[in-house]
PDB file of all heavy atoms in Angstrom:
ATOM      1  N   THR A   1      -0.943   2.491   5.130  1.00  0.00           N
ATOM      2  CA  THR A   1      -2.003   2.854   4.122  1.00  0.00           C
ATOM      3  C   THR A   1      -2.173   1.740   3.215  1.00  0.00           C
ATOM      4  O   THR A   1      -1.278   1.106   2.684  1.00  0.00           O
ATOM      5  CB  THR A   1      -1.492   4.188   3.415  1.00  0.00           C
ATOM      6  OG1 THR A   1      -1.217   5.140   4.298  1.00  0.00           O
ATOM      7  CG2 THR A   1      -2.531   4.571   2.386  1.00  0.00           C
ATOM      8  N   PHE A   2      -3.498   1.471   2.954  1.00  0.00           N
ATOM      9  CA  PHE A   2      -3.833   0.468   1.917  1.00  0.00           C
ATOM     10  C   PHE A   2      -4.692   1.247   0.735  1.00  0.00           C
ATOM     11  O   PHE A   2      -5.612   1.989   1.045  1.00  0.00           O
ATOM     12  CB  PHE A   2      -4.831  -0.569   2.452  1.00  0.00           C
ATOM     13  CG  PHE A   2      -4.157  -1.524   3.504  1.00  0.00           C
ATOM     14  CD1 PHE A   2      -4.311  -1.240   4.868  1.00  0.00           C
ATOM     15  CD2 PHE A   2      -3.427  -2.553   3.117  1.00  0.00           C
ATOM     16  CE1 PHE A   2      -3.764  -2.136   5.776  1.00  0.00           C
ATOM     17  CE2 PHE A   2      -2.932  -3.520   4.031  1.00  0.00           C
ATOM     18  CZ  PHE A   2      -3.053  -3.234   5.351  1.00  0.00           C
ATOM     19  N   LEU A   3      -4.170   1.073  -0.399  1.00  0.00           N
ATOM     20  CA  LEU A   3      -4.848   1.603  -1.602  1.00  0.00           C
ATOM     21  C   LEU A   3      -5.454   0.622  -2.508  1.00  0.00           C
ATOM     22  O   LEU A   3      -4.782  -0.375  -2.913  1.00  0.00           O
ATOM     23  CB  LEU A   3      -3.774   2.427  -2.426  1.00  0.00           C
ATOM     24  CG  LEU A   3      -4.360   3.001  -3.752  1.00  0.00           C
ATOM     25  CD1 LEU A   3      -5.412   3.972  -3.511  1.00  0.00           C
ATOM     26  CD2 LEU A   3      -3.214   3.703  -4.546  1.00  0.00           C
ATOM     27  N   PHE A   4      -6.833   0.622  -2.623  1.00  0.00           N
ATOM     28  CA  PHE A   4      -7.496  -0.206  -3.466  1.00  0.00           C
ATOM     29  C   PHE A   4      -7.889   0.406  -4.837  1.00  0.00           C
ATOM     30  O   PHE A   4      -8.311   1.606  -4.791  1.00  0.00           O
ATOM     31  CB  PHE A   4      -8.771  -0.736  -2.811  1.00  0.00           C
ATOM     32  CG  PHE A   4      -8.575  -1.626  -1.620  1.00  0.00           C
ATOM     33  CD1 PHE A   4      -8.408  -1.060  -0.319  1.00  0.00           C
ATOM     34  CD2 PHE A   4      -8.486  -2.997  -1.778  1.00  0.00           C
ATOM     35  CE1 PHE A   4      -8.141  -1.863   0.725  1.00  0.00           C
ATOM     36  CE2 PHE A   4      -8.255  -3.803  -0.660  1.00  0.00           C
ATOM     37  CZ  PHE A   4      -8.028  -3.180   0.594  1.00  0.00           C
ATOM     38  N   SER A   5      -7.791  -0.300  -5.947  1.00  0.00           N
ATOM     39  CA  SER A   5      -8.094   0.252  -7.203  1.00  0.00           C
ATOM     40  C   SER A   5      -9.188  -0.593  -7.917  1.00  0.00           C
ATOM     41  O   SER A   5      -9.357  -1.815  -7.481  1.00  0.00           O
ATOM     42  CB  SER A   5      -6.835   0.340  -8.086  1.00  0.00           C
ATOM     43  OG  SER A   5      -5.867   1.193  -7.504  1.00  0.00           O
ATOM     44  N   MET A   6      -9.770  -0.032  -8.888  1.00  0.00           N
ATOM     45  CA  MET A   6     -10.969  -0.676  -9.627  1.00  0.00           C
ATOM     46  C   MET A   6     -10.534  -0.834 -11.090  1.00  0.00           C
ATOM     47  O   MET A   6      -9.976   0.105 -11.711  1.00  0.00           O
ATOM     48  CB  MET A   6     -12.225   0.077  -9.463  1.00  0.00           C
ATOM     49  CG  MET A   6     -13.400  -0.466 -10.293  1.00  0.00           C
ATOM     50  SD  MET A   6     -14.750   0.676 -10.506  1.00  0.00           S
ATOM     51  CE  MET A   6     -15.209   1.044  -8.849  1.00  0.00           C
ATOM     52  N   ASN A   7     -10.824  -1.986 -11.636  1.00  0.00           N
ATOM     53  CA  ASN A   7     -10.739  -2.178 -13.003  1.00  0.00           C
ATOM     54  C   ASN A   7     -12.094  -2.290 -13.614  1.00  0.00           C
ATOM     55  O   ASN A   7     -12.813  -3.393 -13.498  1.00  0.00           O
ATOM     56  CB  ASN A   7      -9.933  -3.482 -13.327  1.00  0.00           C
ATOM     57  CG  ASN A   7      -9.626  -3.726 -14.780  1.00  0.00           C
ATOM     58  OD1 ASN A   7     -10.390  -3.377 -15.644  1.00  0.00           O
ATOM     59  ND2 ASN A   7      -8.501  -4.295 -15.068  1.00  0.00           N
ATOM     60  N   ALA A   8     -12.634  -1.246 -14.180  1.00  0.00           N
ATOM     61  CA  ALA A   8     -14.043  -1.169 -14.610  1.00  0.00           C
ATOM     62  C   ALA A   8     -14.237  -2.166 -15.860  1.00  0.00           C
ATOM     63  O   ALA A   8     -15.337  -2.685 -15.945  1.00  0.00           O
ATOM     64  CB  ALA A   8     -14.393   0.260 -14.998  1.00  0.00           C
ATOM     65  N   THR A   9     -13.247  -2.484 -16.513  1.00  0.00           N
ATOM     66  CA  THR A   9     -13.398  -3.384 -17.683  1.00  0.00           C
ATOM     67  C   THR A   9     -13.716  -4.748 -17.262  1.00  0.00           C
ATOM     68  O   THR A   9     -14.597  -5.437 -17.805  1.00  0.00           O
ATOM     69  CB  THR A   9     -12.084  -3.349 -18.634  1.00  0.00           C
ATOM     70  OG1 THR A   9     -11.835  -2.038 -19.021  1.00  0.00           O
ATOM     71  CG2 THR A   9     -12.352  -4.229 -19.810  1.00  0.00           C
ATOM     72  N   SER A  10     -13.039  -5.242 -16.260  1.00  0.00           N
ATOM     73  CA  SER A  10     -13.156  -6.584 -15.741  1.00  0.00           C
ATOM     74  C   SER A  10     -14.116  -6.662 -14.547  1.00  0.00           C
ATOM     75  O   SER A  10     -14.423  -7.751 -14.018  1.00  0.00           O
ATOM     76  CB  SER A  10     -11.807  -7.215 -15.387  1.00  0.00           C
ATOM     77  OG  SER A  10     -11.245  -6.477 -14.330  1.00  0.00           O
ATOM     78  N   SER A  11     -14.572  -5.527 -14.056  1.00  0.00           N
ATOM     79  CA  SER A  11     -15.391  -5.423 -12.902  1.00  0.00           C
ATOM     80  C   SER A  11     -14.782  -6.017 -11.674  1.00  0.00           C
ATOM     81  O   SER A  11     -15.422  -6.773 -10.893  1.00  0.00           O
ATOM     82  CB  SER A  11     -16.804  -6.061 -13.166  1.00  0.00           C
ATOM     83  OG  SER A  11     -17.487  -5.453 -14.156  1.00  0.00           O
ATOM     84  N   LYS A  12     -13.469  -5.797 -11.531  1.00  0.00           N
ATOM     85  CA  LYS A  12     -12.668  -6.344 -10.412  1.00  0.00           C
ATOM     86  C   LYS A  12     -12.084  -5.209  -9.603  1.00  0.00           C
ATOM     87  O   LYS A  12     -11.743  -4.123 -10.169  1.00  0.00           O
ATOM     88  CB  LYS A  12     -11.563  -7.248 -10.897  1.00  0.00           C
ATOM     89  CG  LYS A  12     -12.120  -8.473 -11.656  1.00  0.00           C
ATOM     90  CD  LYS A  12     -12.703  -9.512 -10.712  1.00  0.00           C
ATOM     91  CE  LYS A  12     -12.974 -10.790 -11.400  1.00  0.00           C
ATOM     92  NZ  LYS A  12     -13.554 -11.802 -10.514  1.00  0.00           N
ATOM     93  N   PHE A  13     -11.882  -5.423  -8.304  1.00  0.00           N
ATOM     94  CA  PHE A  13     -11.026  -4.506  -7.477  1.00  0.00           C
ATOM     95  C   PHE A  13      -9.800  -5.369  -6.941  1.00  0.00           C
ATOM     96  O   PHE A  13      -9.900  -6.557  -6.948  1.00  0.00           O
ATOM     97  CB  PHE A  13     -11.911  -3.955  -6.332  1.00  0.00           C
ATOM     98  CG  PHE A  13     -12.319  -4.956  -5.274  1.00  0.00           C
ATOM     99  CD1 PHE A  13     -11.439  -5.366  -4.248  1.00  0.00           C
ATOM    100  CD2 PHE A  13     -13.635  -5.478  -5.278  1.00  0.00           C
ATOM    101  CE1 PHE A  13     -11.904  -6.279  -3.375  1.00  0.00           C
ATOM    102  CE2 PHE A  13     -14.019  -6.425  -4.337  1.00  0.00           C
ATOM    103  CZ  PHE A  13     -13.113  -6.856  -3.373  1.00  0.00           C
ATOM    104  N   TYR A  14      -8.873  -4.586  -6.538  1.00  0.00           N
ATOM    105  CA  TYR A  14      -7.628  -5.235  -6.023  1.00  0.00           C
ATOM    106  C   TYR A  14      -6.830  -4.237  -5.186  1.00  0.00           C
ATOM    107  O   TYR A  14      -6.988  -3.057  -5.249  1.00  0.00           O
ATOM    108  CB  TYR A  14      -6.748  -5.765  -7.175  1.00  0.00           C
ATOM    109  CG  TYR A  14      -6.363  -4.721  -8.209  1.00  0.00           C
ATOM    110  CD1 TYR A  14      -5.018  -4.150  -8.078  1.00  0.00           C
ATOM    111  CD2 TYR A  14      -7.150  -4.294  -9.183  1.00  0.00           C
ATOM    112  CE1 TYR A  14      -4.668  -3.216  -8.931  1.00  0.00           C
ATOM    113  CE2 TYR A  14      -6.737  -3.275 -10.052  1.00  0.00           C
ATOM    114  CZ  TYR A  14      -5.524  -2.737  -9.948  1.00  0.00           C
ATOM    115  OH  TYR A  14      -5.081  -1.795 -10.773  1.00  0.00           O
ATOM    116  N   LEU A  15      -6.034  -4.801  -4.269  1.00  0.00           N
ATOM    117  CA  LEU A  15      -5.055  -3.914  -3.493  1.00  0.00           C
ATOM    118  C   LEU A  15      -3.905  -3.708  -4.355  1.00  0.00           C
ATOM    119  O   LEU A  15      -3.106  -4.521  -4.673  1.00  0.00           O
ATOM    120  CB  LEU A  15      -4.684  -4.767  -2.292  1.00  0.00           C
ATOM    121  CG  LEU A  15      -3.695  -4.055  -1.330  1.00  0.00           C
ATOM    122  CD1 LEU A  15      -4.325  -2.866  -0.672  1.00  0.00           C
ATOM    123  CD2 LEU A  15      -3.160  -5.078  -0.303  1.00  0.00           C
ATOM    124  N   SER A  16      -3.820  -2.310  -4.685  1.00  0.00           N
ATOM    125  CA  SER A  16      -2.725  -1.859  -5.589  1.00  0.00           C
ATOM    126  C   SER A  16      -1.496  -1.252  -4.917  1.00  0.00           C
ATOM    127  O   SER A  16      -0.483  -1.119  -5.517  1.00  0.00           O
ATOM    128  CB  SER A  16      -3.266  -1.004  -6.656  1.00  0.00           C
ATOM    129  OG  SER A  16      -3.852   0.161  -5.974  1.00  0.00           O
ATOM    130  N   GLY A  17      -1.701  -0.874  -3.632  1.00  0.00           N
ATOM    131  CA  GLY A  17      -0.604  -0.185  -2.959  1.00  0.00           C
ATOM    132  C   GLY A  17      -0.703  -0.343  -1.461  1.00  0.00           C
ATOM    133  O   GLY A  17      -1.729  -0.373  -0.850  1.00  0.00           O
ATOM    134  N   VAL A  18       0.509  -0.365  -0.833  1.00  0.00           N
ATOM    135  CA  VAL A  18       0.655  -0.333   0.628  1.00  0.00           C
ATOM    136  C   VAL A  18       1.843   0.461   1.015  1.00  0.00           C
ATOM    137  O   VAL A  18       2.972   0.362   0.392  1.00  0.00           O
ATOM    138  CB  VAL A  18       0.882  -1.822   1.188  1.00  0.00           C
ATOM    139  CG1 VAL A  18       1.092  -1.797   2.693  1.00  0.00           C
ATOM    140  CG2 VAL A  18      -0.304  -2.713   0.830  1.00  0.00           C
ATOM    141  N   SER A  19       1.667   1.293   2.005  1.00  0.00           N
ATOM    142  CA  SER A  19       2.758   2.189   2.383  1.00  0.00           C
ATOM    143  C   SER A  19       2.818   2.083   3.967  1.00  0.00           C
ATOM    144  O   SER A  19       1.779   1.971   4.643  1.00  0.00           O
ATOM    145  CB  SER A  19       2.492   3.648   2.105  1.00  0.00           C
ATOM    146  OG  SER A  19       2.451   3.837   0.657  1.00  0.00           O
ATOM    147  N   LEU A  20       4.024   2.157   4.487  1.00  0.00           N
ATOM    148  CA  LEU A  20       4.306   2.143   5.998  1.00  0.00           C
ATOM    149  C   LEU A  20       5.294   3.163   6.344  1.00  0.00           C
ATOM    150  O   LEU A  20       6.363   3.308   5.677  1.00  0.00           O
ATOM    151  CB  LEU A  20       4.814   0.749   6.431  1.00  0.00           C
ATOM    152  CG  LEU A  20       5.277   0.773   7.881  1.00  0.00           C
ATOM    153  CD1 LEU A  20       4.086   0.888   8.838  1.00  0.00           C
ATOM    154  CD2 LEU A  20       5.983  -0.597   8.127  1.00  0.00           C
ATOM    155  N   ASN A  21       4.940   3.968   7.349  1.00  0.00           N
ATOM    156  CA  ASN A  21       5.969   4.930   7.978  1.00  0.00           C
ATOM    157  C   ASN A  21       5.791   4.759   9.476  1.00  0.00           C
ATOM    158  O   ASN A  21       4.726   4.700  10.091  1.00  0.00           O
ATOM    159  CB  ASN A  21       5.541   6.365   7.663  1.00  0.00           C
ATOM    160  CG  ASN A  21       5.868   6.770   6.171  1.00  0.00           C
ATOM    161  OD1 ASN A  21       7.075   6.877   5.855  1.00  0.00           O
ATOM    162  ND2 ASN A  21       4.890   6.772   5.365  1.00  0.00           N
ATOM    163  N   ALA A  22       6.961   4.495  10.092  1.00  0.00           N
ATOM    164  CA  ALA A  22       6.922   4.238  11.498  1.00  0.00           C
ATOM    165  C   ALA A  22       8.363   4.769  12.170  1.00  0.00           C
ATOM    166  O   ALA A  22       9.328   4.795  11.397  1.00  0.00           O
ATOM    167  CB  ALA A  22       6.789   2.806  11.859  1.00  0.00           C
ATOM    168  N   THR A  23       8.313   5.153  13.359  1.00  0.00           N
ATOM    169  CA  THR A  23       9.474   5.668  14.076  1.00  0.00           C
ATOM    170  C   THR A  23       9.847   4.750  15.221  1.00  0.00           C
ATOM    171  O   THR A  23       8.965   4.498  16.127  1.00  0.00           O
ATOM    172  CB  THR A  23       9.181   7.082  14.545  1.00  0.00           C
ATOM    173  OG1 THR A  23       8.855   7.923  13.485  1.00  0.00           O
ATOM    174  CG2 THR A  23      10.477   7.597  15.265  1.00  0.00           C
ATOM    175  N   ARG A  24      11.085   4.247  15.250  1.00  0.00           N
ATOM    176  CA  ARG A  24      11.571   3.450  16.301  1.00  0.00           C
ATOM    177  C   ARG A  24      12.694   4.299  16.967  1.00  0.00           C
ATOM    178  O   ARG A  24      13.211   5.234  16.389  1.00  0.00           O
ATOM    179  CB  ARG A  24      12.181   2.122  15.799  1.00  0.00           C
ATOM    180  CG  ARG A  24      11.131   1.089  15.488  1.00  0.00           C
ATOM    181  CD  ARG A  24      11.686  -0.091  14.739  1.00  0.00           C
ATOM    182  NE  ARG A  24      13.054  -0.437  15.186  1.00  0.00           N
ATOM    183  CZ  ARG A  24      13.308  -1.621  15.786  1.00  0.00           C
ATOM    184  NH1 ARG A  24      12.298  -2.416  16.131  1.00  0.00           N
ATOM    185  NH2 ARG A  24      14.529  -1.964  16.082  1.00  0.00           N
ATOM    186  N   PRO A  25      13.084   3.970  18.237  1.00  0.00           N
ATOM    187  CA  PRO A  25      14.113   4.715  18.827  1.00  0.00           C
ATOM    188  C   PRO A  25      15.469   4.684  18.117  1.00  0.00           C
ATOM    189  O   PRO A  25      16.185   5.681  18.203  1.00  0.00           O
ATOM    190  CB  PRO A  25      14.238   4.098  20.236  1.00  0.00           C
ATOM    191  CG  PRO A  25      12.960   3.360  20.467  1.00  0.00           C
ATOM    192  CD  PRO A  25      12.436   2.925  19.174  1.00  0.00           C
ATOM    193  N   ASP A  26      15.666   3.538  17.320  1.00  0.00           N
ATOM    194  CA  ASP A  26      17.025   3.455  16.631  1.00  0.00           C
ATOM    195  C   ASP A  26      16.941   3.729  15.151  1.00  0.00           C
ATOM    196  O   ASP A  26      17.919   3.977  14.443  1.00  0.00           O
ATOM    197  CB  ASP A  26      17.533   2.014  16.823  1.00  0.00           C
ATOM    198  CG  ASP A  26      16.448   0.979  16.275  1.00  0.00           C
ATOM    199  OD1 ASP A  26      15.322   1.300  16.165  1.00  0.00           O
ATOM    200  OD2 ASP A  26      16.866  -0.213  16.128  1.00  0.00           O
ATOM    201  N   THR A  27      15.712   3.899  14.603  1.00  0.00           N
ATOM    202  CA  THR A  27      15.630   4.153  13.084  1.00  0.00           C
ATOM    203  C   THR A  27      14.263   4.705  12.747  1.00  0.00           C
ATOM    204  O   THR A  27      13.295   4.509  13.452  1.00  0.00           O
ATOM    205  CB  THR A  27      16.006   2.911  12.414  1.00  0.00           C
ATOM    206  OG1 THR A  27      16.082   3.195  10.940  1.00  0.00           O
ATOM    207  CG2 THR A  27      14.934   1.847  12.519  1.00  0.00           C
ATOM    208  N   GLN A  28      14.210   5.169  11.547  1.00  0.00           N
ATOM    209  CA  GLN A  28      12.931   5.613  10.864  1.00  0.00           C
ATOM    210  C   GLN A  28      12.670   4.621   9.736  1.00  0.00           C
ATOM    211  O   GLN A  28      13.449   4.329   8.894  1.00  0.00           O
ATOM    212  CB  GLN A  28      13.117   7.046  10.321  1.00  0.00           C
ATOM    213  CG  GLN A  28      11.893   7.511   9.479  1.00  0.00           C
ATOM    214  CD  GLN A  28      10.656   7.864  10.415  1.00  0.00           C
ATOM    215  OE1 GLN A  28      10.862   8.228  11.515  1.00  0.00           O
ATOM    216  NE2 GLN A  28       9.463   7.639   9.899  1.00  0.00           N
ATOM    217  N   VAL A  29      11.367   4.118   9.755  1.00  0.00           N
ATOM    218  CA  VAL A  29      11.041   3.088   8.786  1.00  0.00           C
ATOM    219  C   VAL A  29      10.088   3.714   7.778  1.00  0.00           C
ATOM    220  O   VAL A  29       9.136   4.427   8.060  1.00  0.00           O
ATOM    221  CB  VAL A  29      10.264   1.905   9.447  1.00  0.00           C
ATOM    222  CG1 VAL A  29       9.790   0.927   8.410  1.00  0.00           C
ATOM    223  CG2 VAL A  29      11.207   1.167  10.406  1.00  0.00           C
ATOM    224  N   SER A  30      10.361   3.543   6.489  1.00  0.00           N
ATOM    225  CA  SER A  30       9.586   4.039   5.350  1.00  0.00           C
ATOM    226  C   SER A  30       9.637   3.003   4.214  1.00  0.00           C
ATOM    227  O   SER A  30      10.642   2.906   3.576  1.00  0.00           O
ATOM    228  CB  SER A  30      10.041   5.394   4.940  1.00  0.00           C
ATOM    229  OG  SER A  30       9.255   5.905   3.949  1.00  0.00           O
ATOM    230  N   GLU A  31       8.537   2.363   4.005  1.00  0.00           N
ATOM    231  CA  GLU A  31       8.462   1.332   2.948  1.00  0.00           C
ATOM    232  C   GLU A  31       7.126   1.502   2.161  1.00  0.00           C
ATOM    233  O   GLU A  31       6.052   1.909   2.796  1.00  0.00           O
ATOM    234  CB  GLU A  31       8.389  -0.046   3.544  1.00  0.00           C
ATOM    235  CG  GLU A  31       9.695  -0.386   4.310  1.00  0.00           C
ATOM    236  CD  GLU A  31      10.896  -0.592   3.479  1.00  0.00           C
ATOM    237  OE1 GLU A  31      10.755  -0.875   2.172  1.00  0.00           O
ATOM    238  OE2 GLU A  31      12.025  -0.617   4.031  1.00  0.00           O
ATOM    239  N   SER A  32       7.178   1.403   0.815  1.00  0.00           N
ATOM    240  CA  SER A  32       5.970   1.573   0.066  1.00  0.00           C
ATOM    241  C   SER A  32       6.126   0.804  -1.291  1.00  0.00           C
ATOM    242  O   SER A  32       7.191   0.653  -1.830  1.00  0.00           O
ATOM    243  CB  SER A  32       5.612   2.953  -0.157  1.00  0.00           C
ATOM    244  OG  SER A  32       6.579   3.640  -1.009  1.00  0.00           O
ATOM    245  N   ASN A  33       4.931   0.412  -1.856  1.00  0.00           N
ATOM    246  CA  ASN A  33       4.917  -0.183  -3.134  1.00  0.00           C
ATOM    247  C   ASN A  33       3.456   0.042  -3.745  1.00  0.00           C
ATOM    248  O   ASN A  33       2.526  -0.364  -3.097  1.00  0.00           O
ATOM    249  CB  ASN A  33       5.284  -1.679  -3.062  1.00  0.00           C
ATOM    250  CG  ASN A  33       5.361  -2.310  -4.488  1.00  0.00           C
ATOM    251  OD1 ASN A  33       4.883  -1.714  -5.512  1.00  0.00           O
ATOM    252  ND2 ASN A  33       5.991  -3.404  -4.495  1.00  0.00           N
ATOM    253  N   HIS A  34       3.339   0.707  -4.897  1.00  0.00           N
ATOM    254  CA  HIS A  34       2.066   1.017  -5.506  1.00  0.00           C
ATOM    255  C   HIS A  34       1.882   0.244  -6.782  1.00  0.00           C
ATOM    256  O   HIS A  34       1.220   0.714  -7.724  1.00  0.00           O
ATOM    257  CB  HIS A  34       1.944   2.474  -5.684  1.00  0.00           C
ATOM    258  CG  HIS A  34       1.770   3.261  -4.399  1.00  0.00           C
ATOM    259  ND1 HIS A  34       2.809   3.686  -3.625  1.00  0.00           N
ATOM    260  CD2 HIS A  34       0.620   3.588  -3.780  1.00  0.00           C
ATOM    261  CE1 HIS A  34       2.339   4.273  -2.573  1.00  0.00           C
ATOM    262  NE2 HIS A  34       1.018   4.194  -2.656  1.00  0.00           N
ATOM    263  N   SER A  35       2.590  -0.920  -6.944  1.00  0.00           N
ATOM    264  CA  SER A  35       2.442  -1.804  -8.069  1.00  0.00           C
ATOM    265  C   SER A  35       2.090  -3.179  -7.694  1.00  0.00           C
ATOM    266  O   SER A  35       2.490  -4.143  -8.242  1.00  0.00           O
ATOM    267  CB  SER A  35       3.681  -1.812  -8.791  1.00  0.00           C
ATOM    268  OG  SER A  35       4.114  -0.482  -9.281  1.00  0.00           O
TER     269      SER A  35
END
């Protein structure tokens, strides 16, 4: 997942968050950052 946010004051957009969920035979992967 990619999350894009808008800063209306500066008229800029940016990528503010990325999340990953995946399943492997040996483990479950879950990583995210929204800052």
Side-chain angles (χ1 to χ4, degrees):
T1 303
F2 293 98
L3 174 63
F4 293 89
S5 298
M6 177 197 300
N7 187 327
T9 304
S10 62
S11 297
K12 297 286 186 179
F13 67 82
Y14 59 98
L15 178 66
S16 59
V18 177
S19 299
L20 172 67
N21 287 284
T23 301
R24 284 168 38 110
D26 56 345
T27 188
Q28 175 73 32
V29 175
S30 181
E31 300 285 344
S32 66
N33 188 343
H34 289 85
S35 300

